[in-house]
């Protein structure tokens, strides 16, 4: 015997409510938007302009590929763990066609790659990040810019990187302080140091220093001569590690002015036909319009996600009507004095994709377990009618009947326990907008449930969650408040398979008194560039719920 009723369908929506935390994946896409500059920011940009510093110069600390459309770079890398030293080197070759499409390749001699490291994969990952940075808007924070004129005629320009305009991949640059030495209106060097420890690749870095030197080409352009990075920290096992990376341009190509060669020897080496080559795939289809958003300095989350969620919802509600097999039974069971206590636990798995930076769609599957207890207020009317009929036939017989079966003749509570298990499927979407650290989102989910062992799906239910929130950019965390709407019908209806009355399957239609809206509050926290944890709490007149969601983006 199985039951397909609306009572657990109320619970199914509970399970769905938490899955609507697609906003946990979309929050990160609504970073800062268009903003008006403060007085300090205007002064900072004026300092850059006064001393001849280009707004793009800070980006060279994150990506040297911004210097031209056609260039070759030499990259050497050394990793020392305890006393073990791993050294590798390779070349990056960038070419841009007339339509702006970039072809980026790694050229290398296998003999110069350490066999213990997957150097090509590491260079490829780092290069993809640098490629994405070409689209980012202003990367530094103008409000932190200061200028100090030195005794030797040079000027020291200091600033911090922006808290908002950096993707999660290189968010550790928020913890950097930068100093640029300028002489005669030209940058001479740039030094970047960390102000606190941070996670980098597989390591925890405590000391970081990046030194860049600049050179003026024959065509008057100021370009990077060399970038060297040294870092000290520890592995996940606590072993001491030292990292050293050097990036040096080899040649800059210009369609009109020809080639500017910085190293003849390396240019000859990279031209060796025996060198192997690996092409780097740069562009991803989703999210559409992602580059346009990045140009505004807004971090766009990784396009695909998988998450698991647990939700527990408790409901307490009354009734308005009892209808069994088409017969109204309100005179026998008082709906206004009957109540139901329902507890539902759900576990779901969801897959999602960011179609646009502000639009996420997802699908989900899962299980719901419902424990319910219905306390129906029995009026005693059935016993009273039997009592009256018996007394009419034989005085006192009805009284004796009720004395023996008092539960049938007197008012009382009839408890009906339910223990049910359901499958749930659903689809949903989230739309998000943001301004600076503030954001708003609305999530909608359409779901259906089915009793385990049955092939019949129940009616669909719509859940909507509008939210407002604030994000702490430095900590990659968000808090939010809002509401949750569960589009439940004002009645529960269903059948009890295997039970028949008069040759018909037992069915019922019970009116319920439910509040469709509930308040909600929650937070979301990112861990690295791939993981995030969301917690949400709902509270309404007839329900409360607690939801935990853990996701992975790629």
């Amino acid at each position: 015997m199985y039951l397909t009723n609306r009572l657990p369908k109320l619970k199914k929506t509970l399970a769905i409510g938490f899955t609507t935390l697609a906003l946990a994946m979309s929050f990160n896409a609504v970073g800062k938007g268009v903003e008006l500059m403060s007085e300090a920011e205007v002064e900072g940009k004026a300092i850059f302009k006064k001393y001849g510093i280009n707004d793009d110069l800070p980006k060279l600390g994150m990506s040297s590929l911004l210097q031209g459309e056609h260039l070759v770079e030499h990259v050497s890398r050394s990793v020392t763990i305890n006393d073990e030293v791993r050294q590798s080197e390779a070349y990056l070759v960038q070419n841009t066609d007339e339509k702006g499409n970039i072809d980026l390749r790694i050229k290398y001699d296998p003999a110069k790659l350490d066999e213990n490291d997957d150097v090509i994969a590491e260079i490829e990952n780092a290069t993809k990040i640098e490629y994405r940075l070409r689209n980012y808007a202003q990367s530094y924070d103008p409000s932190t810019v200061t200028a100090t004129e030195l005794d030797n005629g040079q000027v020291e320009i200091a600033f911090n990187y922006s808290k908002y305009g950096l993707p999660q991949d290189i968010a550790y640059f928020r913890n950097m302080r930068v100093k640029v030495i300028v002489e005669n209106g030209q940058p001479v060097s740039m030094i970047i140091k960390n102000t606190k420890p941070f996670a980098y690749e597989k390591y925890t870095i405590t000391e970081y220093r990046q030194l860049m030197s600049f050179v003026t080409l024959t065509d008057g352009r100021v370009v990077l001569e060399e970038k060297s990075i040294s870092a000290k920290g520890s592995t996940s096992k606590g072993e001491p590690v030292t990292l050293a990376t050097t990036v040096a341009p080899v040649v800059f190509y210009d369609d009109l002015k020809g080639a500017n060669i910085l190293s003849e020897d390396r240019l000859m080496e990279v031209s060796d036909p025996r060198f192997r080559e690996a092409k780097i795939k740069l562009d991803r289809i989703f999210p559409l319009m992602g580059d346009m958003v990045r140009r505004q300095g807004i971090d766009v989350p990784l396009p695909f996600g998988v998450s698991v969620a647990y939700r527990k919802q408790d409901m307490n509600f009354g009734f308005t009507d009892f209808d069994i097999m088409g017969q109204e039974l309100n005179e026998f069971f008082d709906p206004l004095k009957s109540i139901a206590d329902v507890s539902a636990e759900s576990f779901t798995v969801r897959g999602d994709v960011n179609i646009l930076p502000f639009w996420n769609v997802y699908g989900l599957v899962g299980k719901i377990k419902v424990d319910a207890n219905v306390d129906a207020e029995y009026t005693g009317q059935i016993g009273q009618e039997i009592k009256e009929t018996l007394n009419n036939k034989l005085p006192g017989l009805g009284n004796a009947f009720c004395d023996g079966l008092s539960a049938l003749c007197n008012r009382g509570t009839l408890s009906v326990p339910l223990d049910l298990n359901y499958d749930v499927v659903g689809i949903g979407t989230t739309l998000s907008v943001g301004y600076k650290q503030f954001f708003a989102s609305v999530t909608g989910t359409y779901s259906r449930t089915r009793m385990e062992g049955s092939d019949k799906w129940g009616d669909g239910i719509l859940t909507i969650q509008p939210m407002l929130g604030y994000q702490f950019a430095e900590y990659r965390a968000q808090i939010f408040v809002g509401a949750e709407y569960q589009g439940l019908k004002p009645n529960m209806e269903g059948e009890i398979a295997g039970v028949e009355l008069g040759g018909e399957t037992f069915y019922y239609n019970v009116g319920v008194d439910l509040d469709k809206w509930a308040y909600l509050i929650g937070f979301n926290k990112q861990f690295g560039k791939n993981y995030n944890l969301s917690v949400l709490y709902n509270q309404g007149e007839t329900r409360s719920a607690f939801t935990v969601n853990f996701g992975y983006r790629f």
Side-chain angles (χ1 to χ4, degrees):
M1 178 176 73
Y2 61 86
L3 177 67
T4 55
N5 68 8
R6 292 289 297 180
L7 185 57
K9 291 177 186 175
L10 304 177
K11 301 348 277 170
K12 98 176 170 186
T13 349
L14 315 181
I16 303 307
F18 85 86
T19 59
T20 56
L21 286 176
L23 52 90
M25 313 303 180
S26 301
F27 287 159
N28 310 313
V30 295
K32 71 173 187 177
V34 180
E35 59 181 273
L36 300 176
M37 288 191 296
S38 65
E39 183 177 349
E41 291 173 326
V42 172
E43 292 177 356
K45 291 182 71 67
I47 291 175
F48 263 48
K49 184 176 181 180
K50 176 181 178 181
Y51 293 103
I53 304 298
N54 190 292
D55 276 347
D56 286 336
L57 184 70
K59 295 181 182 179
L60 293 179
M62 299 178 284
S63 173
S64 58
L65 295 175
L66 299 165
Q67 299 183 95
E69 296 180 340
H70 317 282
L71 60 87
V72 178
E73 290 183 332
H74 177 265
V75 180
S76 62
R77 171 187 171 94
S78 173
V79 179
T80 304
I81 301 177
N82 289 323
D83 296 328
E84 181 186 358
V85 181
R86 304 174 183 176
Q87 293 181 319
S88 301
E89 62 178 86
Y91 289 89
L92 294 178
V93 181
Q94 175 178 300
N95 181 50
T96 306
D97 65 20
E98 295 179 353
K99 297 181 179 180
N101 299 312
I102 294 179
D103 181 89
L104 193 57
R105 300 173 185 269
I106 301 173
K107 300 191 71 174
Y108 61 96
D109 179 354
K112 294 184 178 181
L113 300 182
D114 192 286
E115 60 182 12
N116 295 313
D117 277 343
D118 191 353
V119 179
I120 297 301
E122 293 178 359
I123 293 177
E124 183 175 1
N125 290 335
T127 305
K128 286 180 179 179
I129 296 173
E130 293 193 6
Y131 166 77
R132 287 170 48 204
L133 288 171
R134 81 197 195 286
N135 291 322
Y136 273 78
Q138 183 173 281
S139 58
Y140 71 97
D141 183 354
S143 65
T144 65
V145 178
T146 62
T148 304
E149 296 186 355
L150 306 178
D151 294 338
N152 60 3
Q154 294 180 334
V155 179
E156 181 184 273
I157 310 295
F159 59 88
N160 296 337
Y161 281 101
S162 171
K163 293 191 297 183
Y164 304 111
L166 299 176
Q168 179 64 23
D169 312 73
I170 57 165
Y172 56 83
F173 269 93
R174 299 190 309 266
N175 303 319
M176 303 294 181
R177 183 65 176 169
V178 186
K179 292 183 180 180
V180 180
I181 301 300
V182 180
E183 185 175 350
N184 298 324
Q186 298 286 352
V188 176
S189 63
M190 185 162 71
I191 300 175
I192 303 175
K193 293 183 178 181
N194 65 311
T195 58
K196 61 177 66 175
F198 60 91
Y200 174 74
E201 295 183 354
K202 301 172 289 186
Y203 313 110
T204 298
I205 302 300
T206 54
E207 297 180 26
Y208 178 93
R209 184 179 187 271
Q210 181 179 155
L211 173 62
M212 285 172 283
S213 58
F214 300 95
V215 64
T216 301
L217 300 178
T218 55
D219 60 10
R221 282 187 296 164
V222 177
V223 297
L224 185 68
E225 181 179 35
E226 185 177 87
K227 177 166 71 173
S228 62
I229 301 171
S230 61
K232 294 182 179 180
S234 59
T235 67
S236 58
K237 297 179 180 180
E239 301 169 305
V241 61
T242 300
L243 307 176
T245 302
T246 301
V247 178
V250 175
V251 59
F252 292 90
Y253 294 100
D254 187 277
D255 292 336
L256 298 178
K257 300 178 181 180
N260 283 280
I261 302 173
L262 276 67
S263 174
E264 291 278 2
D265 293 341
R266 284 176 173 169
L267 180 57
M268 291 180 62
E269 183 180 46
V270 75
S271 301
D272 191 328
R274 293 171 296 181
F275 266 46
R276 295 186 183 179
E277 189 175 276
K279 180 177 174 58
I280 299 176
K281 186 176 181 180
L282 298 170
D283 296 306
R284 305 183 73 172
I285 297 177
F286 296 110
L288 303 175
M289 300 172 60
D291 281 352
M292 183 185 73
V293 174
R294 293 187 186 103
R295 292 187 188 103
Q296 306 305 315
I298 301 175
D299 189 5
V300 177
L302 295 172
F304 303 101
V306 177
S307 62
V308 294
Y310 168 82
R311 175 165 172 135
K312 186 178 188 301
Q313 178 165 306
D314 297 313
M315 297 183 70
N316 185 298
F317 55 88
F319 297 90
T320 60
D321 184 62
F322 289 118
D323 186 320
I324 305 297
M325 300 293 291
Q327 300 297 315
E328 191 172 283
L329 302 179
N330 293 345
E331 63 175 314
F332 303 120
F333 296 93
D334 188 346
L336 299 181
K337 293 183 179 181
S338 300
I339 60 173
D341 292 311
V342 181
S343 179
E345 292 182 293
S346 65
F347 179 84
T348 57
V349 178
R350 186 189 69 196
D352 72 274
V353 58
N354 289 318
I355 303 297
L356 296 170
F358 52 85
W359 178 31
N360 179 277
V361 296
Y362 58 90
L364 60 93
V365 295
K367 298 285 187 179
I368 303 176
K369 177 178 174 57
V370 177
D371 292 315
N373 189 73
V374 178
D375 291 329
E377 181 70 12
Y378 176 58
T379 64
Q381 186 62 32
I382 295 176
Q384 291 299 325
E385 291 184 0
I386 295 175
K387 173 183 176 180
E388 183 177 346
T389 300
L390 293 176
N391 281 335
N392 288 336
K393 293 183 176 181
L394 181 64
L397 181 59
N399 295 338
F401 171 81
C402 284
D403 289 341
L405 296 173
S406 59
L408 188 63
C409 298
N410 300 326
R411 297 185 68 93
T413 301
L414 176 64
S415 295
V416 181
L418 295 172
D419 184 7
L420 307 167
N421 293 287
Y422 280 78
D423 298 320
V424 60
V425 296
I427 57 174
T429 186
T430 295
L431 295 174
S432 305
V433 295
Y435 174 74
K436 289 189 175 180
Q437 60 267 53
F438 297 95
F439 64 86
S441 70
V442 59
T443 297
T445 304
Y446 179 81
S447 58
R448 302 183 71 179
T449 59
R450 177 181 64 183
M451 171 73 76
E452 287 189 356
S454 170
D455 58 358
K456 183 177 180 180
W457 290 91
D459 295 335
I461 293 182
L462 177 66
T463 303
I464 300 175
Q465 288 180 318
M467 296 187 185
L468 296 174
Y470 180 92
Q471 75 166 336
F472 300 91
E474 185 172 354
Y475 301 100
R476 296 286 165 167
Q478 301 88 26
I479 58 174
F480 47 88
V481 296
E484 180 182 82
Y485 169 85
Q486 291 184 351
L488 304 170
K489 293 182 179 180
N491 67 299
M492 299 184 301
E493 54 186 317
E495 300 177 346
I496 301 180
V499 177
E500 295 185 354
L501 290 179
E504 294 185 33
T505 301
F506 183 89
Y507 67 91
Y508 59 90
N509 190 334
V510 179
V512 293
D513 184 13
L514 288 169
D515 189 356
K516 296 183 178 181
W517 285 95
Y519 299 105
L520 66 83
I521 185 171
F523 74 89
N524 176 64
K525 176 69 175 75
Q526 284 181 264
F527 300 94
K529 66 178 182 179
N530 298 106
Y531 299 94
N532 72 279
L533 175 68
S534 300
V535 177
L536 184 148
Y537 177 74
N538 298 78
Q539 181 64 58
E541 288 188 14
T542 58
R543 72 176 187 266
S544 63
F546 176 77
T547 302
V548 179
N549 185 90
F550 184 74
Y552 175 82
R553 302 209 68 76
F554 56 96

mmCIF file of all heavy atoms in Angstrom, residues 426-439:
data_model
loop_
_atom_site.group_PDB
_atom_site.id
_atom_site.type_symbol
_atom_site.label_atom_id
_atom_site.label_comp_id
_atom_site.label_asym_id
_atom_site.label_seq_id
_atom_site.Cartn_x
_atom_site.Cartn_y
_atom_site.Cartn_z
ATOM 1 N N GLY A 426 13.659 18.372 -10.428
ATOM 2 C CA GLY A 426 13.296 19.765 -10.604
ATOM 3 C C GLY A 426 14.244 20.501 -11.531
ATOM 4 O O GLY A 426 15.345 20.027 -11.843
ATOM 5 N N ILE A 427 13.808 21.665 -11.977
ATOM 6 C CA ILE A 427 14.627 22.575 -12.765
ATOM 7 C C ILE A 427 14.471 23.964 -12.166
ATOM 8 O O ILE A 427 13.473 24.254 -11.492
ATOM 9 C CB ILE A 427 14.227 22.591 -14.254
ATOM 10 C CG1 ILE A 427 12.738 22.963 -14.403
ATOM 11 C CG2 ILE A 427 14.521 21.254 -14.908
ATOM 12 C CD1 ILE A 427 12.302 23.142 -15.847
ATOM 13 N N GLY A 428 15.459 24.829 -12.393
ATOM 14 C CA GLY A 428 15.365 26.170 -11.830
ATOM 15 C C GLY A 428 16.310 27.138 -12.499
ATOM 16 O O GLY A 428 17.142 26.772 -13.340
ATOM 17 N N THR A 429 16.202 28.392 -12.095
ATOM 18 C CA THR A 429 17.043 29.437 -12.651
ATOM 19 C C THR A 429 17.237 30.543 -11.625
ATOM 20 O O THR A 429 16.385 30.746 -10.744
ATOM 21 C CB THR A 429 16.424 30.016 -13.944
ATOM 22 O OG1 THR A 429 17.346 30.944 -14.533
ATOM 23 C CG2 THR A 429 15.122 30.741 -13.650
ATOM 24 N N THR A 430 18.349 31.256 -11.737
ATOM 25 C CA THR A 430 18.657 32.391 -10.864
ATOM 26 C C THR A 430 19.092 33.574 -11.714
ATOM 27 O O THR A 430 19.917 33.428 -12.616
ATOM 28 C CB THR A 430 19.785 32.047 -9.875
ATOM 29 O OG1 THR A 430 19.337 31.024 -8.994
ATOM 30 C CG2 THR A 430 20.174 33.263 -9.047
ATOM 31 N N LEU A 431 18.547 34.741 -11.434
ATOM 32 C CA LEU A 431 18.963 35.999 -12.057
ATOM 33 C C LEU A 431 19.572 36.875 -10.969
ATOM 34 O O LEU A 431 19.022 36.977 -9.866
ATOM 35 C CB LEU A 431 17.773 36.707 -12.706
ATOM 36 C CG LEU A 431 17.131 35.986 -13.898
ATOM 37 C CD1 LEU A 431 15.865 36.732 -14.344
ATOM 38 C CD2 LEU A 431 18.114 35.880 -15.059
ATOM 39 N N SER A 432 20.704 37.517 -11.271
ATOM 40 C CA SER A 432 21.416 38.306 -10.272
ATOM 41 C C SER A 432 21.860 39.636 -10.858
ATOM 42 O O SER A 432 22.186 39.738 -12.033
ATOM 43 C CB SER A 432 22.654 37.554 -9.765
ATOM 44 O OG SER A 432 22.323 36.281 -9.284
ATOM 45 N N VAL A 433 21.869 40.667 -10.014
ATOM 46 C CA VAL A 433 22.422 41.977 -10.375
ATOM 47 C C VAL A 433 23.223 42.472 -9.187
ATOM 48 O O VAL A 433 23.031 42.012 -8.059
ATOM 49 C CB VAL A 433 21.316 42.997 -10.732
ATOM 50 C CG1 VAL A 433 20.574 42.574 -11.979
ATOM 51 C CG2 VAL A 433 20.343 43.172 -9.563
ATOM 52 N N GLY A 434 24.157 43.412 -9.427
ATOM 53 C CA GLY A 434 24.963 43.900 -8.331
ATOM 54 C C GLY A 434 25.467 45.300 -8.556
ATOM 55 O O GLY A 434 25.558 45.795 -9.687
ATOM 56 N N TYR A 435 25.790 45.982 -7.452
ATOM 57 C CA TYR A 435 26.417 47.297 -7.480
ATOM 58 C C TYR A 435 27.429 47.342 -6.352
ATOM 59 O O TYR A 435 27.068 47.214 -5.174
ATOM 60 C CB TYR A 435 25.379 48.408 -7.299
ATOM 61 C CG TYR A 435 26.009 49.778 -7.189
ATOM 62 C CD1 TYR A 435 26.524 50.403 -8.322
ATOM 63 C CD2 TYR A 435 26.104 50.422 -5.959
ATOM 64 C CE1 TYR A 435 27.111 51.655 -8.229
ATOM 65 C CE2 TYR A 435 26.691 51.672 -5.862
ATOM 66 C CZ TYR A 435 27.202 52.284 -6.990
ATOM 67 O OH TYR A 435 27.793 53.516 -6.902
ATOM 68 N N LYS A 436 28.723 47.496 -6.725
ATOM 69 C CA LYS A 436 29.799 47.418 -5.755
ATOM 70 C C LYS A 436 29.649 46.129 -4.960
ATOM 71 O O LYS A 436 29.567 45.056 -5.529
ATOM 72 C CB LYS A 436 29.813 48.655 -4.853
ATOM 73 C CG LYS A 436 30.266 49.923 -5.582
ATOM 74 C CD LYS A 436 30.473 51.071 -4.626
ATOM 75 C CE LYS A 436 31.039 52.277 -5.356
ATOM 76 N NZ LYS A 436 31.256 53.421 -4.447
ATOM 77 N N GLN A 437 29.570 46.227 -3.608
ATOM 78 C CA GLN A 437 29.485 44.997 -2.813
ATOM 79 C C GLN A 437 28.048 44.572 -2.529
ATOM 80 O O GLN A 437 27.818 43.620 -1.781
ATOM 81 C CB GLN A 437 30.255 45.145 -1.497
ATOM 82 C CG GLN A 437 29.757 46.258 -0.594
ATOM 83 C CD GLN A 437 30.498 47.552 -0.821
ATOM 84 O OE1 GLN A 437 30.598 48.043 -1.933
ATOM 85 N NE2 GLN A 437 31.038 48.104 0.252
ATOM 86 N N PHE A 438 27.071 45.260 -3.078
ATOM 87 C CA PHE A 438 25.672 44.912 -2.862
ATOM 88 C C PHE A 438 25.148 44.098 -4.055
ATOM 89 O O PHE A 438 25.580 44.294 -5.187
ATOM 90 C CB PHE A 438 24.818 46.170 -2.681
ATOM 91 C CG PHE A 438 25.195 46.973 -1.479
ATOM 92 C CD1 PHE A 438 26.066 48.050 -1.582
ATOM 93 C CD2 PHE A 438 24.695 46.644 -0.220
ATOM 94 C CE1 PHE A 438 26.426 48.784 -0.473
ATOM 95 C CE2 PHE A 438 25.051 47.366 0.889
ATOM 96 C CZ PHE A 438 25.918 48.438 0.771
ATOM 97 N N PHE A 439 24.207 43.208 -3.797
ATOM 98 C CA PHE A 439 23.653 42.407 -4.880
ATOM 99 C C PHE A 439 22.201 42.053 -4.577
ATOM 100 O O PHE A 439 21.738 42.121 -3.426
ATOM 101 C CB PHE A 439 24.468 41.124 -5.098
ATOM 102 C CG PHE A 439 24.446 40.179 -3.919
ATOM 103 C CD1 PHE A 439 23.430 39.258 -3.758
ATOM 104 C CD2 PHE A 439 25.452 40.222 -2.972
ATOM 105 C CE1 PHE A 439 23.402 38.388 -2.679
ATOM 106 C CE2 PHE A 439 25.453 39.356 -1.894
ATOM 107 C CZ PHE A 439 24.424 38.438 -1.743
#
